[in-house]
Amino acid sequence: MDSNILIQAKDVGIQLGGRQVLKHVDLTLRKGELLTLIGPNGAGKTTLVRIVLGLMKAQQGSLRRAAGLRIGYMPQKVFVEPTLPLTVKRFIELGGAANSQKNSLSAESALAEVNVSHLLGQQVSALSGGEMQRVLLARALSQSPDMLVLDEPAQGVDISGQLELYELINGIRKAHNCGVLMVSHDLHLVMAATDQVICLNQHICCHGKPEQVSNDPAYLALFGRKEAETLAVYTHHHNHSHDIAGDVVRTHKHV
């Protein structure tokens, strides 16, 4: 296997409850690459992530990992009992950061990486949605991972916070040269920074560069042309003008 390849799945398939959840799925992630996994609900994205993480075993095909591969996982959300006294520092350490690995980051260093050092002594139960996502990302980073697996990392974060979070993720993978496998529905925000996109619906409907996928007939059939054109690539187009009061005064034909 190429030394730059972190993980490689070939012809992966699995049935659950008598239903084919995944079939003939290929996936390759290299160092420094950001790969976004998209698809409708029930497409098999979560199952594929679990297979990648080693939590489930594929029934068909093969999965190969780089020797000694360290994976940092950021779940979609974590429930913490509101009455449980748990600081952010301890929460990150419980994720394995407390020097359990030679190269692991301290909670302080991991939080600094995601620009929320001030949350170190804060109670987890008191965090806002955006703060919690930063802490979850710091927890994943505390493993000094070769590969980050991020499941809907902007869950529960407002638009401005999502933009900042995706920019942060992009900066982290460049700074650490780690691979990033990200599951996301926020295509209009993430696809411009993505190297590769896999559109999944039990099988791989289409894959490639963002601009290729967004124009692929299979992608358009899956998401609908109107939604796909709106969400596909993070490019800003004006189709109207505003006067000084902010009112629309003229519209333009969208091209």
Side-chain angles (χ1 to χ4, degrees):
M1 191 165 69
D2 186 328
S3 60
N4 283 319
I5 293 177
L6 300 174
I7 196 158
Q8 188 170 59
K10 288 188 176 181
D11 201 33
V12 164
I14 189 170
Q15 287 188 0
L16 296 174
R19 184 175 73 90
Q20 191 76 41
V21 178
L22 294 172
K23 55 184 177 181
H24 308 307
V25 173
D26 294 339
L27 180 153
T28 300
L29 181 68
R30 293 176 172 83
K31 293 177 182 177
E33 185 177 51
L34 198 160
L35 173 66
T36 299
L37 186 63
I38 62 174
N41 291 334
K45 300 187 299 296
T46 298
T47 300
L48 181 56
V49 165
R50 287 175 177 168
I51 290 172
V52 167
L53 291 172
L55 301 176
M56 296 178 70
K57 189 172 181 180
Q59 295 162 343
Q60 297 93 37
S62 64
L63 180 71
R64 298 178 66 189
R65 295 184 181 87
L69 180 68
R70 295 190 306 273
I71 299 177
Y73 174 55
M74 179 179 174
Q76 202 172 115
K77 55 186 175 181
V78 170
F79 175 75
V80 177
E81 172 58 48
T83 59
L84 180 69
L86 181 65
T87 65
V88 167
K89 182 178 188 292
R90 184 59 179 149
F91 177 69
I92 292 175
E93 289 174 345
L94 286 171
N99 297 318
S100 61
Q101 294 186 37
K102 183 178 179 181
N103 297 319
S104 63
L105 295 178
S106 66
E108 292 87 347
S109 297
L111 289 170
E113 286 256 6
V114 298
N115 304 321
V116 286
S117 297
H118 63 284
L119 296 178
L120 184 68
Q122 180 69 269
Q123 290 293 316
V124 172
S125 58
L127 299 178
S128 68
E131 288 173 338
M132 188 63 188
Q133 295 308 97
R134 295 282 182 123
V135 168
L136 287 173
L137 181 56
R139 196 172 191 244
L141 274 175
S142 70
Q143 306 300 314
S144 294
D146 306 303
M147 172 181 171
L148 279 171
V149 178
L150 312 177
D151 191 357
E152 296 285 358
Q155 179 90 1
V157 181
D158 62 29
I159 284 292
S160 62
Q162 288 177 30
L163 281 168
E164 291 177 5
L165 189 59
Y166 288 130
E167 288 173 358
L168 178 62
I169 291 167
N170 196 29
I172 286 170
R173 64 106 174 196
K174 289 179 178 178
H176 293 270
N177 195 34
C178 61
V180 180
L181 174 61
M182 179 161 56
V183 179
S184 181
H185 289 102
D186 302 307
L187 308 184
H188 59 307
L189 298 180
V190 303
M191 281 180 73
T194 295
D195 298 306
Q196 296 288 330
V197 178
I198 289 180
C199 185
L200 187 71
N201 194 11
Q202 280 79 56
H203 66 287
I204 293 178
C205 298
C206 53
H207 73 281
K209 300 290 184 182
E211 60 272 17
Q212 294 171 324
V213 170
S214 63
N215 290 307
D216 192 287
Y219 174 83
L220 296 174
L222 209 57
F223 290 96
R225 179 169 293 275
K226 184 175 180 181
E227 183 178 358
E229 287 175 349
T230 302
L231 297 179
V233 182
Y234 182 39
T235 313
H236 194 78
H237 295 286
H238 287 288
N239 63 359
H240 58 273
S241 300
H242 296 264
D243 61 18
I244 196 169
D247 297 318
V248 175
V249 292
R250 186 172 71 251
T251 59
H252 304 286
K253 183 178 179 180
H254 180 73
V255 292

